[in-house]
Amino acid sequence: MRDRETIELALHAADTGHLVFSTLHTVDAKETINRIIAIFPNEEQNRVRLSLAGVLKGVISQRLIPTVDDKRVAAMEILVKTPTIEKLILENRDYEIKEAIEKGREHYKSQSFDQHILDIYNAGIITRERAKDYATSASDLELKMNGLNSAKAADRLNKSEKNGNVKVVDDDIFDLK
């Protein structure tokens, strides 16, 4: 979908019960939603936002990442419309979409690029450098690679503290000035 007329037709078809598949060249699911809405004049954007929030079922975005064996693997971001996603679209809170996608992974089978890239990296299919090159947030992905983002990491730390197995390494200590 490259122009306003095509997007308008697709929204109308979806509004009338037709299943619509389309392609749009964007970097991720959030940008796809923003591009659809932004192609319309400001005075029409609330109407389009309402329509899109009602008819959208999902967005699949992909990035092809070179593998360790010189092939390519698709990293996919999958947005599944949930009540939370619908509300975020309606309320123009696109900055929260990535977090909602990540939180919906277990229940709705949605996933962010960074979640899938981490899976591919952990499976040994891509290098650490390639993972960071293709991540939405390389610094956040690096933290996840080091196990510093999750409740699992906190659980490991709590168990280590209870067992007296906490080791402090000089690299872990820094001064804030």
Side-chain angles (χ1 to χ4, degrees), residues 86-99:
E86 184 173 3
K87 182 177 180 181
L88 294 176
I89 294 169
L90 284 171
E91 295 176 1
N92 196 19
R93 293 169 39 204
D94 64 324
Y95 53 90
E96 296 178 53
I97 288 176
K98 181 182 177 224
E99 183 181 348

Side-chain angles (χ1 to χ4, degrees), residues 50-119:
L50 181 65
S51 177
L52 184 62
V55 300
L56 185 71
K57 299 299 178 204
V59 176
I60 299 173
S61 300
Q62 70 176 9
R63 295 177 186 163
L64 294 176
I65 304 176
T67 63
V68 295
D69 59 355
D70 294 322
K71 296 180 182 175
R72 293 190 180 263
V73 64
M76 291 184 274
E77 180 169 83
I78 302 170
L79 176 148
V80 177
K81 184 178 101 175
T82 65
T84 301
I85 294 290
E86 184 173 3
K87 182 177 180 181
L88 294 176
I89 294 169
L90 284 171
E91 295 176 1
N92 196 19
R93 293 169 39 204
D94 64 324
Y95 53 90
E96 296 178 53
I97 288 176
K98 181 182 177 224
E99 183 181 348
I101 291 170
E102 289 179 346
K103 286 182 178 178
R105 187 172 199 187
E106 189 173 322
H107 188 70
Y108 296 106
K109 307 300 182 214
S110 62
Q111 67 184 15
S112 69
F113 271 123
D114 289 355
Q115 286 175 315
H116 195 216
I117 290 170
L118 183 61
D119 292 344

